[in-house]
Amino acid sequence: MANDGYNSSLCLPCVFSPKSRQYLASFAQDGRLRIWNTDSKILHQEYVPSAHLSATCTCIVWGPCRISKEGPRRKKRKSEAGHVEELADLLALGTVAGSIIIYSAVKGALHCTLDGGHNGGVNCVEWHPEDGLLYSGSDDSYIVEWDLQTSKTRGKWKADRASVTSLCVSPDGKLLLSAGQTIKMWDLKTKEVYRKFTGHSTAVTNLRFATTRPPDSNGLYFLSGAAHDRLISVWQVQEDGNDKNSVVSFTLTDDPKHIDLFTSNSKEEAVRLAVVCKDGQLHLFEHFLNGPCKKPLSPSCTVQVSGLEDNPVPVPLLAAALTADTRSLLLAYGSYLQPIMERLDVNTAERHVCLTRDVHTTLTLAMETTVSKVKTPVVNGKSKALVPGLPGHQAPVKAGLGSEKRKKGTGTKEMSIEERLGEIDLSLEKGGVKKTPSLQTDNFAVLLVQGLESKDVNILNDVFQTRKDNLINKTVSRLPIPAVLPLLEEITKRMQGHPYTAVLMVRWLKAVLMQHTSYLSSLPDLVSQLGVLYHMIESRVKIFYKLTKLHGKLYMLMTQVVAGDSGVKDVDHKAKLVYEDASSDEDKASGDEGLPDEDSDNWEEDEDREEETEDGIQS
């Protein structure tokens, strides 16, 4: 029942401590680890990693509860002598730099740092239930086994061709599940593959064992959830090895972000499952795992939180935890910087439960100053400042004016913020002309994501005004996958406006369809989500054929009108020059001289002469 953080660029990790659920660990946008007390609802501890801007946290995992050997001790009473309390102590934080930070909640300080195991960012971390071992998966496709006593690697092996995005150790500590897109089950003694499963079409983000039975009894089940997949799949480890496909599926409204469950110890005990989706809703399931089920199962109850405004706005749920009482839940909702924690009883007989809360009045910042310690890193003059944003994104920071140290005792008046901003603007001007720095492609992608999240019209207008096809294609290709659908919705909205804006939006639409076709085709409800764009394109294509015919007719008519109005005059048919050849008549006259006239008299004399000659011959 250990909770794993969900690794995503837009979903930050937020997990409850195991067993007692006394603490909530969250990692906010400012790069700080905060631990909240769920009973008193106040901030218990805060920790700032030394490289919290360059090495962004990707996952948080609570270690198994253990007997605390460190920290302040008090003298126990006789009634407490036989009672030993196990506390949630260690936290493992994976980073994009490939290191793992181990933080002690009991000491309120850094326990150790695990380096040198991975060449890529750490995507997932999983604790061994007993042996004090830790397993991590990374983008370098390797699994590393860490020994916390020595803070060094104990083993390392290649798990997949692609990145390892999720891990899970069995309750008995003998098997390890790893997943990228395919799911593999490893024997931790031999480090060999025990079983392979089909997996998902996208990267698997959650793995959980649902039962505690041995694998050779056909009763071992585990479940998995993937990015951009609105299903939780349940897999059965069968003795004959015919277990490549899932046996049960649970339907969700969005990608699974946080999963908590109560495992089943026998066939007569149902598995209880709580899934927090990316859209901020909580889905509760209860099912007896006993073989395959053909139809996907719908949630028995859905919980959602909204505000008390005139137009209620949904409040996103960050994490949820089940308790021994089937009706009781522990929820965390609101902001990652200051989440609101609440224990409540939910009537699971209702299919949908909507909780209305006044979030603004509930937010009160309180902190245990006697217990918590804020760890601020020591920064020297040679350190490089990084701007928080997308993981790995770096931008130069210009030093402002007036960075010199002010001397003590001088009567100089401190400058106001308005005056400082004015001097910063003047420092950018050279020669009376203000230089406008050209935005790079990665800046365009960051601006576009920020504009889509905040719905800032000015930012979106600045990005959409570009006409360079190469810049548009590179910007769209660098967008994170969760930002594709909001971008398409914004393009659809703008294409319905002025025709000049529609011409610009067609280039962005073409780039999105060319760069993210595979992702869009995998969405089952693509037509319903993009119905407005689909019908708009279909109606305009129908009108285009009629407009083309009308354009042809108008063009032919206009050419005839222009030809009639050109003023062509009548042609003069009188020849301006006549040439006569006189030599031909003279030759004809000279050739006819001396020839007898061919009249009828000459023909008769010739006939008489021929008859006389014939008579003389006969005689």
Side-chain angles (χ1 to χ4, degrees):
M1 283 175 52
N3 295 323
D4 290 347
Y6 175 49
N7 176 21
S8 175
S9 59
L10 298 178
C11 298
L12 300 172
C14 181
V15 290
F16 286 100
S17 61
K19 292 187 178 180
S20 63
R21 313 294 190 182
Q22 185 179 0
Y23 299 111
L24 173 69
S26 65
F27 204 87
Q29 295 88 339
D30 57 356
R32 297 169 182 260
L33 171 67
R34 292 179 174 86
I35 300 177
W36 304 82
N37 192 320
T38 58
D39 296 330
S40 59
K41 310 293 189 304
I42 60 176
L43 183 61
H44 178 62
Q45 290 180 14
E46 184 177 11
Y47 174 72
V48 183
S50 59
H52 64 288
L53 294 179
S54 61
T56 310
C57 178
T58 56
C59 56
I60 299 177
V61 186
W62 284 94
C65 295
R66 64 175 188 171
I67 301 173
S68 176
K69 298 181 181 180
E70 298 171 346
R73 297 183 180 181
R74 63 180 179 84
K75 190 176 181 180
K76 296 183 179 180
R77 300 176 182 177
K78 294 182 179 180
S79 59
E80 298 178 352
H83 177 69
V84 178
E85 184 181 3
E86 293 184 349
L87 301 176
D89 182 13
L90 298 181
L91 268 168
L93 285 71
T95 64
V96 295
S99 60
I100 301 173
I101 300 172
I102 307 299
Y103 178 79
S104 175
V106 174
K107 295 189 299 181
L110 178 67
H111 181 74
C112 64
T113 302
L114 307 179
D115 292 321
H118 292 290
N119 297 325
V122 177
N123 296 322
C124 50
V125 179
E126 184 70 16
W127 293 83
H128 194 278
E130 297 176 357
D131 296 341
L133 301 176
L134 190 72
Y135 299 92
S136 61
S138 171
D139 289 335
D140 58 6
S141 69
Y142 279 88
I143 297 177
V144 177
E145 185 181 36
W146 302 89
D147 189 351
L148 290 183
Q149 294 181 356
T150 60
S151 300
K152 295 182 180 180
T153 59
R154 187 177 178 182
K156 182 177 181 180
W157 68 94
K158 189 175 181 63
D160 206 329
R161 295 180 180 178
S163 303
V164 180
T165 57
S166 186
L167 293 173
C168 185
V169 179
S170 61
D172 57 2
K174 297 180 179 179
L175 300 174
L176 173 68
L177 288 172
S178 70
Q181 292 184 356
T182 60
I183 303 174
K184 296 180 181 179
M185 181 176 286
W186 302 84
D187 189 346
L188 288 179
K189 284 188 177 180
T190 61
K191 304 298 189 296
E192 295 180 355
V193 178
Y194 181 72
R195 293 287 165 82
K196 288 185 179 181
F197 303 88
T198 306
H200 298 260
S201 59
T202 55
V204 178
T205 55
N206 289 280
L207 285 173
R208 294 287 187 280
F209 276 95
T211 58
T212 58
R213 293 165 241 173
D216 54 355
S217 63
N218 289 338
L220 182 61
Y221 292 84
F222 69 91
L223 53 88
S224 63
H228 317 300
D229 191 356
R230 302 179 181 183
L231 288 176
I232 294 292
S233 301
V234 181
W235 311 80
Q236 182 183 12
V237 183
Q238 299 181 6
E239 188 177 1
D240 54 3
N242 297 327
D243 45 16
K244 293 185 178 181
N245 298 323
S246 61
V247 293
V248 182
S249 296
F250 299 110
T251 59
L252 305 173
T253 55
D254 208 338
D255 305 351
K257 183 176 68 172
H258 181 276
I259 295 179
D260 187 42
L261 58 83
F262 266 84
T263 58
S264 171
N265 299 321
S266 62
K267 294 182 179 180
E268 292 76 18
E269 185 178 359
V271 174
R272 295 170 53 206
L273 179 65
V275 183
V276 177
C277 295
K278 192 176 178 181
D279 58 359
Q281 298 188 45
L282 169 64
H283 302 288
L284 302 177
F285 300 90
E286 188 171 356
H287 181 67
F288 291 92
L289 295 176
N290 190 13
C293 182
K294 296 182 179 179
K295 295 183 179 181
L297 301 177
S298 301
S300 58
C301 181
T302 300
V303 181
Q304 191 174 8
V305 182
S306 65
L308 294 177
E309 298 84 359
D310 296 335
N311 296 324
V313 178
V315 179
L317 281 164
L318 307 179
L322 298 171
T323 60
D325 186 3
T326 57
R327 295 173 56 89
S328 180
L329 286 175
L330 178 59
L331 303 179
Y333 54 89
S335 171
Y336 287 98
L337 292 170
Q338 191 175 358
I340 302 172
M341 293 146 288
E342 181 180 357
R343 294 179 184 267
L344 73 161
D345 294 335
V346 177
N347 186 9
T348 56
E350 299 181 6
R351 299 284 294 180
H352 189 89
V353 177
C354 185
L355 306 175
T356 56
R357 298 290 185 269
D358 192 357
V359 181
H360 301 287
T361 59
T362 311
L363 293 176
T364 55
L365 184 59
M367 184 172 180
E368 294 181 6
T369 56
T370 58
V371 180
S372 58
K373 300 176 182 179
V374 178
K375 305 300 177 183
T376 305
V378 179
V379 180
N380 54 19
K382 298 181 180 180
S383 62
K384 184 178 180 181
L386 301 177
V387 177
L390 295 179
H393 172 67
Q394 301 181 6
V397 179
K398 296 184 179 180
L401 295 179
S403 58
E404 300 179 356
K405 296 181 179 179
R406 296 185 178 89
K407 296 181 179 180
K408 295 183 178 180
T410 58
T412 57
K413 185 179 180 181
E414 187 176 357
M415 298 174 61
S416 64
I417 297 178
E418 183 178 359
E419 293 173 350
R420 292 180 185 179
L421 292 176
E423 290 197 3
I424 292 175
D425 293 337
L426 291 175
S427 65
L428 297 177
E429 299 181 1
K430 292 184 178 180
V433 179
K434 189 173 182 179
K435 293 181 63 178
T436 56
S438 59
L439 294 176
Q440 300 178 357
T441 308
D442 57 347
N443 292 342
F444 260 91
V446 173
L447 283 177
L448 186 55
V449 172
Q450 292 177 353
L452 292 174
E453 290 181 351
S454 62
K455 297 182 180 179
D456 193 328
V457 180
N458 295 327
I459 296 178
L460 294 176
N461 289 338
D462 292 339
V463 175
F464 287 143
Q465 287 298 324
T466 180
R467 292 176 174 270
K468 298 180 181 179
D469 293 335
N470 188 22
L471 182 59
I472 293 174
N473 292 330
K474 289 184 178 180
T475 302
V476 173
S477 63
R478 296 188 181 188
L479 281 180
I481 293 298
V484 174
L485 281 180
L487 176 60
L488 275 178
E489 293 176 358
E490 184 65 25
I491 292 175
T492 304
K493 178 181 177 182
R494 290 174 175 260
M495 287 184 67
Q496 297 175 357
H498 196 274
Y500 175 77
T501 307
V503 172
L504 297 176
M505 290 298 102
V506 167
R507 300 185 178 185
W508 288 90
L509 178 62
K510 180 181 177 182
V512 172
L513 295 179
M514 291 179 63
Q515 299 289 343
H516 300 284
T517 305
S518 57
Y519 164 64
L520 294 174
S521 60
S522 65
L523 297 177
D525 54 349
L526 177 63
V527 178
S528 61
Q529 289 189 358
L530 304 180
V532 178
L533 180 62
Y534 177 78
H535 291 298
M536 182 176 61
I537 294 177
E538 187 178 9
S539 60
R540 291 188 179 182
V541 168
K542 290 181 180 179
I543 300 175
F544 179 73
Y545 176 70
K546 298 179 182 179
L547 291 176
T548 306
K549 292 178 64 178
L550 179 60
H551 178 268
K553 293 179 180 179
L554 291 175
Y555 178 76
M556 182 178 63
L557 182 60
M558 292 302 295
T559 52
Q560 292 178 357
V561 171
V562 172
D565 295 341
S566 60
V568 180
K569 299 180 180 180
D570 295 337
V571 180
D572 188 5
H573 296 284
K574 185 178 179 180
K576 293 186 179 292
L577 178 64
V578 179
Y579 176 76
E580 296 180 356
D581 190 3
S583 60
S584 61
D585 297 337
E586 294 176 356
D587 293 340
K588 183 177 181 181
S590 61
D592 294 339
E593 293 179 355
L595 293 177
D597 295 335
E598 294 180 358
D599 52 2
S600 58
D601 296 337
N602 294 334
W603 286 107
E604 289 177 356
E605 291 178 358
D606 292 338
E607 289 178 357
D608 293 341
R609 290 176 182 175
E610 290 177 359
E611 289 177 358
E612 289 178 359
T613 54
E614 289 177 0
D615 293 339
I617 293 172
Q618 291 178 358
S619 63

